[in-house]
Amino acid sequence: MASKALPATIARWALLSPRSIRIAPRMAASTTSSISSPWELYRPAIRIAGQRRALSSSVRSRYVDVDDAFDPRQQDRESDEVDVCIVGGGPAGLSAAIKLKQLASEAGNEDFRVLLLEKAGEIGDHIVSGNVIDPSAIKELLPDWNSEDNPNRFEHTTAAKVDKMYFLTKNSSIPLPKPPQMNNHGNHIISLNQLCKWLGERAEEVGVEIYPGFAASEILYNHEGVVKGVATNDLGISREGKPKDSFERGMEFHARVTLLAEGCHGSLTKQVIKKYDLRRDSQHQTYGLGIKEIWEVQPEKFQSGLVVHSMGYPLPSDTYGGGWMYHFGDNMVSIGLVVGLDYPNPWLAPYGEFQKMKHHPVFKNVLEGGKCISYAARTLSEGGFQSIPKVAFPGGALIGDSAGFVNLPKIKGSHTAMKSGMLAAEAAWDALSGNPEGTIFLFDYEDKLRSSTVWSELKQVRNMRPAFHSPLGLYGGIIYSGIEAFLFRGKEPWTFNHGKPDHAATKPADQCKKIEYPKPDGKISFDILTSVSRSGTNHEEDQPVHLQVKDWDKHAEMEWPKYKGVENRFCPAGVYEYVEDTSKDLGVRFQINAQNCVHCKTCDIKDPNQDINWSTPQGGEGPKYVLT
């Protein structure tokens, strides 16, 4: 196992960082031998948010002598060595971390180091989901998670009591029979944002080293091409790519096992899938964009435990998707719309469709007189069983939505994400225990996954999503899904293929009907910048644009004539614009407002020419979601 390292270099780096790092010495004894983790001295206590410590010129010089010829990549990075490094503080990453430390504790190995890096300023800040949770996985991991006898139980749950499903037309709603997969008896309505914060606390209690504000931006390989860890991004780089006087080189975290739990379409996951050809035996992934608001509604309109799902309006018949409304907590309502990103019409704007949906009587009657308090957006994997890649690679594995374990017909993915994290933890522990020196390859994780409920769940519903690619479109998909849910139940001998990749499904603008969206009323519907302000999003402007487009003018030349600004419409945060500019041959100029980015990854997925690459900005930046 990895040996402990003294905390000096890590502490120095954290203290100099401009990120939202919480730092305070907490030494239990006068010698470092009593410290269970080399970072324990710097456990959270004092918030340092949005301000940079003044650095003396002598300290600065240890990091960089600023000049125009300086190349940051020539500087050595500080490094630390752990047993397992996990990238991502969502349900999969936190479950894997907790399980690993549970196994180490059972074996009496208190020196086993598990480190979790999270790009958000706090655990949970970037987490968004519906969320009606199937508690099966969390009960297995933490049996007393919701027990009245547990003083540290997760208290923010609302039992799901009533399920309703509608097919919507513009002004009416038609009740639909509830498929067995959507029976929420025994499930809980929660905020996944809150649950991840709570799981983070439980992880720290068992000794996981959690470091929010550290954005892993690079996969590290050894001389044999085996993953040996990750590196965080450099700080103090200007928008022009030049080092500022506050420049700090990123850090390297070396590990025998690296688990990628970045969520849907992670930037490091993309690299690993490509390098090791992990999709060689699977179909491409297909995605949806979920847009969500949290409302506080009038008490007389609140129905605790009500779960509502909808299909149809406002989406056109050639676009997959649906809405939800969950009543939870004290007069709180979670409302949102998921739009399949294989929609063909470039004039369609998922954000605009969501604002229209809220004016339908099913939703408007609940929201009127209430207050919108939070906004969020995130992509989710919809490919299911056919799109699961190889999950193990030399030195690590993909867990959670990095691999795409969402059960779409069930409209749930947290329980499968958690279960996959636990299975990977078991495989990693066994592999490390049995192979103290050589390369780790988690074959056992692949085997465990195939014999688990994750695999059987996804296989059973594998044909429902691709059924909507039939010539009958929406209505054919609904009919087939009904037959599948009540009759076939996944036992049919065939498996449908997905259609075109999402970016390739987009048609030219002149072949599609232009969509004009109504002006928001400011009460039920809102303009996009008002919504972004409710996401808590913040990025330092003087840094390289993390939405990477090599040549903005060339991008405009490829995209504008054919798609007429599809980027502006598919983005739920107003990041992309085409601005009138008579100096340009096209009459418009392409512009990226990266400070608005809510890290949803839609642009990386849906851009027709695939020349937008989402990369991590400085750690601790992006949205700061509440109750999402």
Side-chain angles (χ1 to χ4, degrees), residues 243 283 421:
Q283 295 178 34

Side-chain angles (χ1 to χ4, degrees), residues 88-106:
L94 289 165
S95 297
I98 292 170
K99 186 64 177 179
L100 280 162
K101 290 299 289 186
Q102 288 175 341
L103 292 169
S105 178
E106 290 170 7

Side-chain angles (χ1 to χ4, degrees), residues 555-571:
H555 176 90
E557 291 169 5
M558 291 191 298
E559 303 267 351
W560 174 259
K562 191 172 183 179
Y563 303 107
K564 300 301 181 185
V566 64
E567 306 93 324
N568 180 49
R569 291 183 288 274
F570 65 50
C571 176

Side-chain angles (χ1 to χ4, degrees), residues 292-298 301-302 324-336 354-355 357-359 363-364 366-375 521-526 531 534 626-628:
K292 175 179 182 176
E293 291 175 351
I294 300 294
W295 284 68
E296 184 176 6
V297 301
Q298 295 175 337
K301 297 180 179 181
F302 178 72
W324 81 80
M325 180 172 61
Y326 306 150
H327 292 233
F328 72 107
D330 295 325
N331 304 321
M332 307 303 291
V333 166
S334 161
I335 182 170
F354 174 50
Q355 300 307 312
M357 188 194 83
K358 290 185 293 176
H359 282 277
F363 304 107
K364 184 178 180 180
V366 174
L367 300 180
E368 273 187 322
K371 179 182 179 182
C372 180
I373 62 174
S374 185
Y375 170 80
D521 65 1
K523 298 177 181 178
I524 300 295
S525 52
F526 309 100
S531 292
R534 293 185 176 128
V626 176
L627 292 177
T628 54

Side-chain angles (χ1 to χ4, degrees), residues 5-17 19 21 38-39 63 72 75-82 85 87 113 115 117 209 211 213-220 228-235 247-254 268:
L6 290 176
T9 58
I10 298 167
R12 183 182 69 203
W13 190 86
L15 285 166
L16 296 178
S17 172
R19 308 166 182 204
I21 305 294
W39 285 10
Y63 286 85
Q75 300 294 305
D76 291 334
R77 289 186 282 223
E78 301 283 1
S79 65
D80 188 25
E81 183 179 351
V82 299
C85 178
V87 179
R113 293 187 63 194
L115 181 140
L117 303 175
E209 302 170 45
Y211 294 94
F214 284 65
S217 60
E218 180 184 345
I219 295 284
L220 303 175
K228 68 171 186 177
V230 298
T232 61
N233 55 7
D234 297 332
L235 304 178
F247 173 77
E248 300 163 27
R249 192 75 163 105
M251 281 198 66
E252 294 188 1
F253 296 92
H254 300 169
L268 299 185

